[in-house]
Amino acid sequence: MVTDNLLGEFLRARREQVGPEALGLPAGGSRRVAGLRREEVAVLAGVSTDYYVRLEQGRERHPSAQVVDALARGLALDDDATAHLHRLARPEPVRRRRARRRAPVSPNLLRLMDGWPDTPALVLGHCLDVLAHNALGEALFAGHTHSGDLVRLVFLDPDAREFYPDWERVAVNTVGGLRTAAGIDPDDPQLIDTVGELSVKSADFRRLWARHDIRQKTHETKRFRHRLVGELELSYEALTVNSAPGQQLIVYQAEPGSSSAAALALLGSLAAS
């Protein structure tokens, strides 16, 4: 986060992760760089090598929308990463940026969640901190040092790899979500504090943060190993809370009739008692 060249760092990180074979380029036997060479990205994007080098070095900061789209194609970026690249190329002016305020969770939303006794539900802030939950949502993540903060749970909790059997995938997606938030407002104090603490305390976080992956939280199937009810495989949908920018409602479900549905029902009974 402590940089004034987010655009260049993103381009370099993504370039280093694209294999030449994936784009129809010869791999060669004596490549000295990971991923693509700068001149290869320049050719793929239809710009001069000198111009692309200036972009990576931060000597050119604001490429046109057409150039950004060409770079995204050259680097094989998906839609989320392309949108992130556009935000880095055209950041909101500092004088117009409003300080982010932590809005309370709407009482109507809390009542809605409480009306789902069989469905775990959480409201997350922009840094994936838990702002609210219903009883089953609380029970799903209970018992951890950082149950109220899903980023710190993944990287700082001693039992994170036990709780998440697919820990690496969860970690990649979690960091990608933070990167998305950083593209929207890189100067947000909570985001800076979160990234700073995790960078100091977790080598895994530093490794993944340096990749500049972008993951918008939308929907996914995730496995849990719960200390009370065992294995759970749950799908979730992430819904934007339009009345409170930055908040997301996360709703989990199990496949009807599955062992995960039975385990979730048992967890609900334990939570109710």
Side-chain angles (χ1 to χ4, degrees):
M1 294 293 294
V2 184
T3 180
D4 64 350
N5 186 25
L6 289 173
L7 174 64
E9 288 190 358
F10 179 76
L11 290 172
R12 183 173 62 254
R14 302 315 301 167
R15 172 174 62 82
E16 291 174 351
Q17 294 176 55
V18 180
E21 303 91 340
L23 297 175
L25 299 173
S30 59
R31 299 182 70 90
R32 295 185 297 174
V33 298
L36 298 177
R37 301 184 181 99
R38 287 170 170 170
E39 57 268 28
E40 290 171 332
V41 178
V43 169
L44 290 168
V47 300
S48 71
T49 299
D50 177 68
Y51 179 75
Y52 179 77
V53 170
R54 294 203 308 273
L55 285 173
E56 277 203 8
Q57 293 178 345
R59 293 185 287 125
E60 176 65 46
R61 303 284 180 133
H62 304 297
S64 69
Q66 293 80 2
V67 169
V68 171
D69 285 334
L71 290 169
R73 289 191 297 271
L75 293 169
L77 302 182
D78 62 16
D79 290 344
D80 288 339
T82 299
H84 180 77
L85 183 58
H86 275 281
R87 287 192 294 268
L88 296 180
R90 286 291 183 272
E92 180 185 348
V94 173
R95 65 180 180 275
R96 295 175 51 198
R97 185 185 291 125
R98 295 179 179 178
R100 187 189 295 270
R101 296 180 179 178
R102 181 164 172 162
V105 178
S106 164
N108 294 329
L109 183 53
L110 294 175
R111 282 194 295 270
L112 177 67
M113 295 165 59
D114 287 340
W116 300 334
D118 302 322
T119 303
L122 311 171
V123 178
L124 300 182
H126 65 287
C127 288
L128 305 185
D129 47 326
V130 180
L131 304 180
H133 46 62
N134 63 6
L136 194 51
E138 180 181 20
L140 179 61
F141 290 94
H144 305 285
T145 304
H146 297 284
S147 294
D149 188 313
L150 300 192
V151 178
R152 288 177 171 84
L153 194 162
V154 171
F155 290 100
L156 300 183
D157 241 287
D159 58 351
R161 283 176 167 78
E162 176 67 19
F163 183 57
Y164 293 114
D166 305 311
W167 182 88
E168 182 71 20
R169 179 165 64 91
V170 171
V172 167
N173 291 340
T174 298
V175 173
L178 274 188
R179 272 290 180 192
T180 301
I184 296 171
D185 188 356
D187 297 324
D188 176 72
Q190 183 185 355
L191 181 67
I192 292 172
D193 288 346
T194 298
V195 172
E197 178 185 353
L198 291 169
S199 296
V200 170
K201 295 181 178 179
S202 171
D204 287 310
F205 180 85
R206 291 195 298 274
R207 168 177 60 88
L208 294 175
W209 186 253
R211 288 171 51 90
H212 287 254
D213 290 325
I214 302 297
R215 297 284 190 277
Q216 190 80 306
K217 198 172 184 68
T218 53
H219 58 83
E220 188 184 10
T221 298
K222 186 176 291 186
R223 292 198 302 146
F224 302 88
R225 186 174 293 117
H226 198 277
R227 61 191 180 90
L228 296 180
V229 299
E231 294 277 351
L232 290 160
E233 184 172 287
L234 305 177
S235 61
Y236 74 76
E237 289 287 336
L239 309 173
T240 299
V241 181
N242 290 337
S243 61
Q247 291 184 10
Q248 285 189 304
L249 171 64
I250 313 299
V251 184
Y252 293 88
Q253 288 186 321
E255 185 70 25
S258 65
S259 60
S260 293
L264 194 60
L266 174 58
L267 182 60
S269 299
L270 295 172
S273 60

